[in-house]
Amino acid sequence: MEFLKKFNNNVALVLDSTGIEWIVIGKGIGFGAIKGEPVDEEMIDRRFIAEPTHGQIDLLQTIASMDPEIIDVVSDVTKEAETYLEITFSTRNYITLADHLNYALKRTQESAEYTENLRWEVKKLYPKEYQAALKAIETINKRLNITLPKSEETFITYHFVNAQNDEGKLENTVKMTKLINRILEVIKYHFQVELDEDSLNYVRFLTHLRYFIIRQTHGEAMHHEGIDKTVIEAVKATYQRAYEAAEKVSTLLNKQEGWELSSDEMLYLTLHIFRVTNRIDKENT
Protein backbone atom coordinates (compact mmCIF):
# COMPACT_ATOMS: atom_id res chain seq x y z
CA MET A 1 0.00 0.00 0.00
CA GLU A 2 1.08 3.59 -0.63
CA PHE A 3 -0.13 6.89 0.79
CA LEU A 4 -2.46 9.07 -1.28
CA LYS A 5 -3.78 11.57 1.27
CA LYS A 6 -3.62 12.30 4.99
CA PHE A 7 -6.84 13.27 6.80
CA ASN A 8 -5.20 13.57 10.19
CA ASN A 9 -2.47 11.80 12.17
CA ASN A 10 -4.63 8.71 12.60
CA VAL A 11 -6.53 8.51 9.30
CA ALA A 12 -5.27 8.35 5.72
CA LEU A 13 -6.30 7.45 2.18
CA VAL A 14 -4.10 4.74 0.64
CA LEU A 15 -3.83 2.72 -2.57
CA ASP A 16 -3.24 -1.03 -2.61
CA SER A 17 -1.34 -3.06 -5.22
CA THR A 18 -4.55 -3.81 -7.17
CA GLY A 19 -5.46 -0.14 -7.58
CA ILE A 20 -8.19 -0.07 -4.88
CA GLU A 21 -8.34 2.98 -2.60
CA TRP A 22 -8.83 2.40 1.14
CA ILE A 23 -9.48 4.59 4.16
CA VAL A 24 -7.16 3.31 6.90
CA ILE A 25 -7.32 4.12 10.60
CA GLY A 26 -4.44 3.59 13.00
CA LYS A 27 -2.56 5.42 15.72
CA GLY A 28 -0.05 7.76 14.05
CA ILE A 29 -0.52 6.24 10.61
CA GLY A 30 -0.91 9.64 8.94
CA PHE A 31 1.87 11.39 10.86
CA GLY A 32 4.48 12.69 8.42
CA ALA A 33 2.88 10.72 5.58
CA ILE A 34 4.02 11.71 2.08
CA LYS A 35 2.12 10.81 -1.10
CA GLY A 36 3.60 7.79 -2.84
CA GLU A 37 5.43 6.44 0.22
CA PRO A 38 4.72 2.87 1.43
CA VAL A 39 2.35 2.32 4.34
CA ASP A 40 3.35 0.37 7.44
CA GLU A 41 0.41 -2.04 7.40
CA GLU A 42 1.09 -3.18 10.96
CA MET A 43 -0.13 0.26 12.09
CA ILE A 44 -3.58 -0.23 10.53
CA ASP A 45 -6.39 -0.84 13.04
CA ARG A 46 -9.34 -0.45 10.64
CA ARG A 47 -9.72 -0.22 6.88
CA PHE A 48 -12.58 0.15 4.46
CA ILE A 49 -12.87 0.66 0.72
CA ALA A 50 -13.19 4.34 -0.23
CA GLU A 51 -16.14 4.16 -2.60
CA PRO A 52 -17.67 7.44 -3.87
CA THR A 53 -21.10 6.65 -2.44
CA HIS A 54 -23.20 8.96 -0.28
CA GLY A 55 -22.60 6.77 2.77
CA GLN A 56 -18.84 6.72 2.27
CA ILE A 57 -18.74 10.47 1.73
CA ASP A 58 -20.54 10.93 5.05
CA LEU A 59 -17.99 8.67 6.75
CA LEU A 60 -15.09 10.59 5.20
CA GLN A 61 -16.53 13.89 6.38
CA THR A 62 -17.01 12.47 9.88
CA ILE A 63 -13.43 11.22 10.03
CA ALA A 64 -11.88 14.36 8.54
CA SER A 65 -13.62 16.64 11.05
CA MET A 66 -12.77 14.55 14.12
CA ASP A 67 -10.05 15.30 16.66
CA PRO A 68 -7.23 12.76 16.12
CA GLU A 69 -7.13 12.20 19.88
CA ILE A 70 -10.69 10.89 19.77
CA ILE A 71 -9.82 8.45 16.99
CA ASP A 72 -6.87 7.33 19.10
CA VAL A 73 -8.91 6.65 22.24
CA VAL A 74 -11.74 4.98 20.31
CA SER A 75 -9.21 2.60 18.76
CA ASP A 76 -8.05 1.61 22.23
CA VAL A 77 -11.48 1.20 23.84
CA THR A 78 -12.82 -0.82 20.89
CA LYS A 79 -9.80 -3.12 21.09
CA GLU A 80 -10.50 -3.63 24.80
CA ALA A 81 -14.19 -4.27 24.11
CA GLU A 82 -13.44 -6.68 21.27
CA THR A 83 -11.21 -8.76 23.56
CA TYR A 84 -13.62 -8.70 26.52
CA LEU A 85 -16.82 -9.29 24.52
CA GLU A 86 -15.24 -11.53 21.86
CA ILE A 87 -16.68 -9.44 19.04
CA THR A 88 -15.38 -7.47 16.05
CA PHE A 89 -16.38 -3.87 15.36
CA SER A 90 -17.34 -3.16 11.79
CA THR A 91 -15.95 0.07 10.37
CA ARG A 92 -19.40 1.66 10.49
CA ASN A 93 -19.94 0.70 14.14
CA TYR A 94 -16.45 1.96 14.95
CA ILE A 95 -17.04 5.35 13.32
CA THR A 96 -20.53 5.62 14.80
CA LEU A 97 -19.03 5.16 18.28
CA ALA A 98 -16.31 7.72 17.50
CA ASP A 99 -18.92 10.19 16.25
CA HIS A 100 -21.03 9.62 19.38
CA LEU A 101 -18.02 10.19 21.63
CA ASN A 102 -17.13 13.35 19.71
CA TYR A 103 -20.54 14.87 20.48
CA ALA A 104 -20.60 13.45 24.01
CA LEU A 105 -17.41 15.35 24.78
CA LYS A 106 -18.92 18.57 23.43
CA ARG A 107 -22.08 18.06 25.52
CA THR A 108 -19.98 17.38 28.61
CA GLN A 109 -17.90 20.50 28.08
CA GLU A 110 -21.13 22.48 27.74
CA SER A 111 -22.51 20.78 30.90
CA ALA A 112 -25.38 19.33 28.87
CA GLU A 113 -26.57 15.77 29.54
CA TYR A 114 -29.06 13.66 27.63
CA THR A 115 -31.84 12.29 29.78
CA GLU A 116 -32.28 8.54 29.70
CA ASN A 117 -34.41 6.40 31.99
CA LEU A 118 -33.32 2.88 31.05
CA ARG A 119 -29.96 2.66 32.84
CA TRP A 120 -31.15 0.01 35.29
CA GLU A 121 -32.76 -2.07 32.52
CA VAL A 122 -29.63 -1.83 30.39
CA LYS A 123 -27.48 -2.94 33.32
CA LYS A 124 -29.71 -6.00 33.79
CA LEU A 125 -30.26 -6.91 30.14
CA TYR A 126 -26.70 -6.40 28.89
CA PRO A 127 -24.48 -7.00 31.95
CA LYS A 128 -21.29 -7.85 30.08
CA GLU A 129 -21.66 -5.00 27.58
CA TYR A 130 -22.42 -2.69 30.52
CA GLN A 131 -19.20 -3.70 32.26
CA ALA A 132 -17.31 -3.11 29.00
CA ALA A 133 -18.89 0.35 28.81
CA LEU A 134 -17.79 1.18 32.37
CA LYS A 135 -14.23 0.19 31.45
CA ALA A 136 -14.40 2.25 28.25
CA ILE A 137 -15.63 5.31 30.14
CA GLU A 138 -12.82 4.90 32.67
CA THR A 139 -10.30 4.85 29.83
CA ILE A 140 -11.90 7.82 28.05
CA ASN A 141 -12.07 9.93 31.22
CA LYS A 142 -8.43 9.24 32.03
CA ARG A 143 -7.08 9.75 28.53
CA LEU A 144 -9.08 12.87 27.70
CA ASN A 145 -9.06 14.36 31.21
CA ILE A 146 -12.84 14.60 31.36
CA THR A 147 -15.72 13.13 33.36
CA LEU A 148 -18.49 11.80 31.14
CA PRO A 149 -22.02 11.90 32.61
CA LYS A 150 -23.76 8.77 33.94
CA SER A 151 -26.01 8.66 30.89
CA GLU A 152 -23.00 7.60 28.80
CA GLU A 153 -23.00 4.25 30.61
CA THR A 154 -26.25 3.46 28.82
CA PHE A 155 -25.34 4.92 25.44
CA ILE A 156 -21.95 3.24 25.18
CA THR A 157 -23.51 -0.05 26.29
CA TYR A 158 -25.92 0.30 23.36
CA HIS A 159 -23.00 0.82 20.98
CA PHE A 160 -21.33 -2.36 22.27
CA VAL A 161 -24.59 -4.29 21.80
CA ASN A 162 -24.89 -2.91 18.27
CA ALA A 163 -21.36 -4.04 17.46
CA GLN A 164 -22.54 -7.65 17.78
CA ASN A 165 -25.06 -7.09 15.01
CA ASP A 166 -23.58 -5.36 11.95
CA GLU A 167 -27.00 -4.10 10.89
CA GLY A 168 -27.79 -2.84 14.37
CA LYS A 169 -28.88 0.74 14.92
CA LEU A 170 -29.05 2.61 18.20
CA GLU A 171 -32.80 3.15 17.94
CA ASN A 172 -33.34 -0.58 17.39
CA THR A 173 -31.34 -1.44 20.50
CA VAL A 174 -33.31 1.07 22.57
CA LYS A 175 -36.53 -0.41 21.21
CA MET A 176 -35.35 -3.94 22.01
CA THR A 177 -34.49 -2.91 25.56
CA LYS A 178 -37.94 -1.45 26.14
CA LEU A 179 -39.64 -4.46 24.58
CA ILE A 180 -37.72 -7.00 26.68
CA ASN A 181 -38.53 -5.00 29.79
CA ARG A 182 -42.22 -5.02 28.85
CA ILE A 183 -42.16 -8.81 28.29
CA LEU A 184 -40.60 -9.33 31.72
CA GLU A 185 -43.29 -7.15 33.27
CA VAL A 186 -46.00 -9.29 31.65
CA ILE A 187 -44.44 -12.49 33.04
CA LYS A 188 -43.94 -11.06 36.53
CA TYR A 189 -47.53 -9.81 36.60
CA HIS A 190 -48.87 -13.15 35.39
CA PHE A 191 -47.07 -15.08 38.15
CA GLN A 192 -47.26 -12.20 40.67
CA VAL A 193 -43.56 -12.62 41.52
CA GLU A 194 -40.14 -11.05 41.09
CA LEU A 195 -37.71 -13.04 38.96
CA ASP A 196 -34.31 -14.18 40.19
CA GLU A 197 -32.08 -11.95 38.10
CA ASP A 198 -28.93 -13.76 39.27
CA SER A 199 -30.05 -17.17 38.05
CA LEU A 200 -28.59 -18.90 35.01
CA ASN A 201 -32.10 -19.47 33.64
CA TYR A 202 -32.78 -15.71 33.79
CA VAL A 203 -29.60 -14.96 31.82
CA ARG A 204 -30.51 -17.63 29.26
CA PHE A 205 -34.02 -16.21 28.96
CA LEU A 206 -32.70 -12.70 28.27
CA THR A 207 -30.37 -14.10 25.63
CA HIS A 208 -33.28 -15.95 24.02
CA LEU A 209 -35.40 -12.76 24.00
CA ARG A 210 -32.60 -10.69 22.47
CA TYR A 211 -32.09 -13.03 19.54
CA PHE A 212 -35.81 -13.66 19.23
CA ILE A 213 -36.44 -9.92 18.78
CA ILE A 214 -33.56 -9.60 16.30
CA ARG A 215 -35.04 -12.47 14.24
CA GLN A 216 -38.50 -10.94 14.32
CA THR A 217 -37.16 -7.53 13.35
CA HIS A 218 -35.45 -9.12 10.34
CA GLY A 219 -38.51 -11.22 9.48
CA GLU A 220 -36.76 -14.48 10.32
CA ALA A 221 -39.21 -16.71 12.19
CA MET A 222 -37.88 -19.72 14.07
CA HIS A 223 -38.61 -23.09 12.48
CA HIS A 224 -37.14 -26.37 13.68
CA GLU A 225 -37.80 -29.56 11.78
CA GLY A 226 -38.98 -32.45 13.90
CA ILE A 227 -41.15 -30.50 16.34
CA ASP A 228 -44.61 -31.88 15.64
CA LYS A 229 -47.99 -30.85 17.00
CA THR A 230 -48.08 -33.64 19.60
CA VAL A 231 -44.95 -32.26 21.25
CA ILE A 232 -46.37 -28.75 21.27
CA GLU A 233 -49.67 -29.98 22.74
CA ALA A 234 -47.77 -31.91 25.40
CA VAL A 235 -45.83 -28.77 26.37
CA LYS A 236 -49.08 -26.79 26.57
CA ALA A 237 -50.59 -29.39 28.88
CA THR A 238 -47.51 -29.92 31.05
CA TYR A 239 -46.57 -26.26 31.47
CA GLN A 240 -50.01 -24.70 31.41
CA ARG A 241 -49.26 -21.55 33.43
CA ALA A 242 -46.09 -20.88 31.47
CA TYR A 243 -47.95 -21.34 28.19
CA GLU A 244 -50.66 -18.92 29.35
CA ALA A 245 -47.91 -16.38 30.08
CA ALA A 246 -46.43 -17.02 26.63
CA GLU A 247 -49.85 -16.33 25.10
CA LYS A 248 -49.98 -12.99 26.92
CA VAL A 249 -46.52 -12.14 25.57
CA SER A 250 -47.66 -13.17 22.09
CA THR A 251 -50.70 -10.90 22.36
CA LEU A 252 -48.50 -8.01 23.47
CA LEU A 253 -46.10 -8.48 20.55
CA ASN A 254 -48.95 -8.76 18.08
CA LYS A 255 -50.61 -5.56 19.28
CA GLN A 256 -47.38 -3.58 19.65
CA GLU A 257 -45.30 -4.89 16.74
CA GLY A 258 -47.74 -6.83 14.55
CA TRP A 259 -45.72 -10.02 15.00
CA GLU A 260 -47.32 -13.45 14.64
CA LEU A 261 -45.48 -16.05 16.71
CA SER A 262 -45.10 -19.50 15.18
CA SER A 263 -45.92 -22.63 17.18
CA ASP A 264 -42.17 -23.33 17.44
CA GLU A 265 -41.55 -19.90 18.93
CA MET A 266 -44.41 -20.37 21.38
CA LEU A 267 -42.92 -23.69 22.45
CA TYR A 268 -39.47 -22.29 23.18
CA LEU A 269 -40.91 -19.19 24.84
CA THR A 270 -43.04 -21.43 27.09
CA LEU A 271 -40.06 -23.55 28.11
CA HIS A 272 -37.95 -20.50 28.93
CA ILE A 273 -40.76 -18.97 30.97
CA PHE A 274 -41.20 -22.25 32.86
CA ARG A 275 -37.49 -22.45 33.67
CA VAL A 276 -37.22 -18.86 34.82
CA THR A 277 -40.32 -19.14 37.04
CA ASN A 278 -40.27 -22.80 38.10
CA ARG A 279 -38.56 -22.35 41.49
CA ILE A 280 -40.68 -19.31 42.26
CA ASP A 281 -43.86 -21.06 41.14
CA LYS A 282 -43.20 -23.99 43.52
CA GLU A 283 -42.67 -21.61 46.44
CA ASN A 284 -46.06 -20.01 45.83
CA THR A 285 -48.14 -23.19 45.43
Side-chain angles (χ1 to χ4, degrees):
M1 288 185 168
E2 65 180 51
F3 284 106
L4 290 181
K5 180 180 179 181
K6 167 186 171 181
F7 291 105
N8 56 47
N9 285 342
N10 298 329
V11 186
L13 178 68
V14 303
L15 183 72
D16 70 14
S17 59
T18 66
I20 297 177
E21 293 184 358
W22 296 79
I23 303 298
V24 293
I25 300 172
K27 187 175 182 179
I29 198 167
F31 181 76
I34 299 175
K35 184 176 180 180
E37 285 190 343
V39 179
D40 182 355
E41 297 190 29
E42 290 186 359
M43 298 179 67
I44 299 175
D45 287 330
R46 315 280 167 177
R47 69 181 75 192
F48 58 96
I49 296 176
E51 297 176 342
T53 63
H54 178 70
Q56 291 288 5
I57 291 172
D58 288 343
L59 290 179
L60 289 175
Q61 290 175 339
T62 299
I63 293 170
S65 64
M66 202 169 293
D67 187 331
E69 196 173 13
I70 292 177
I71 294 289
D72 188 12
V73 75
V74 169
S75 291
D76 287 344
V77 299
T78 53
K79 284 180 181 178
E80 290 175 351
E82 285 178 330
T83 300
Y84 180 65
L85 298 174
E86 297 180 333
I87 60 175
T88 300
F89 275 77
S90 70
T91 299
R92 184 168 294 278
N93 283 326
Y94 173 93
I95 294 176
T96 300
L97 175 59
D99 192 41
H100 170 84
L101 179 58
N102 188 40
Y103 282 101
L105 293 173
K106 292 178 181 178
R107 291 195 303 271
T108 302
Q109 291 164 353
E110 295 169 357
S111 299
E113 180 176 357
Y114 280 170
T115 302
E116 55 79 30
N117 57 4
L118 290 172
R119 186 179 302 136
W120 178 241
E121 285 80 359
V122 165
K123 185 177 179 179
K124 290 189 298 180
L125 298 179
Y126 316 113
K128 196 165 185 179
E129 292 86 350
Y130 179 78
Q131 290 302 317
L134 294 183
K135 176 60 179 174
I137 290 171
E138 180 183 348
T139 299
I140 293 165
N141 287 345
K142 184 177 180 179
R143 292 275 296 279
L144 301 181
N145 193 27
I146 199 167
T147 301
L148 292 174
K150 292 288 287 184
S151 58
E152 287 304 315
E153 295 175 5
T154 299
F155 296 129
I156 293 179
T157 298
Y158 283 149
H159 281 285
F160 288 168
V161 174
N162 287 347
Q164 299 172 55
N165 174 25
D166 194 36
E167 296 180 4
K169 295 181 180 179
L170 186 62
E171 59 268 28
N172 290 340
T173 304
V174 174
K175 176 182 176 180
M176 179 167 64
T177 303
K178 292 180 178 179
L179 196 52
I180 290 176
N181 193 51
R182 186 72 184 93
I183 290 170
L184 294 173
E185 288 177 353
V186 168
I187 294 169
K188 288 189 287 187
Y189 182 81
H190 178 75
F191 285 92
Q192 289 294 295
V193 293
E194 289 297 323
L195 302 178
D196 182 4
E197 297 171 2
D198 296 322
S199 70
L200 180 59
N201 283 331
Y202 185 83
V203 173
R204 286 172 174 168
F205 185 40
L206 293 184
T207 301
H208 172 78
L209 290 177
R210 285 174 62 177
Y211 287 102
F212 161 75
I213 291 172
I214 289 172
R215 286 196 306 272
Q216 291 293 326
T217 302
H218 294 167
E220 301 170 359
M222 176 189 290
H223 292 291
H224 288 280
E225 294 182 4
I227 302 179
D228 57 35
K229 291 184 179 180
T230 57
V231 174
I232 294 171
E233 290 301 320
V235 168
K236 289 171 61 175
T238 305
Y239 310 115
Q240 184 177 354
R241 291 193 73 197
Y243 188 81
E244 290 170 353
E247 286 183 315
K248 289 183 178 179
V249 171
S250 178
T251 299
L252 165 72
L253 296 175
N254 182 261
K255 288 182 177 180
Q256 187 166 323
E257 304 296 331
W259 296 342
E260 293 285 349
L261 272 61
S262 68
S263 57
D264 292 358
E265 288 162 336
M266 285 294 293
L267 182 146
Y268 283 98
L269 183 57
T270 298
L271 292 177
H272 276 288
I273 291 173
F274 172 76
R275 289 168 184 155
V276 82
T277 61
N278 186 36
R279 180 186 63 81
I280 298 169
D281 200 21
K282 285 181 178 179
E283 292 175 355
N284 288 276
T285 55

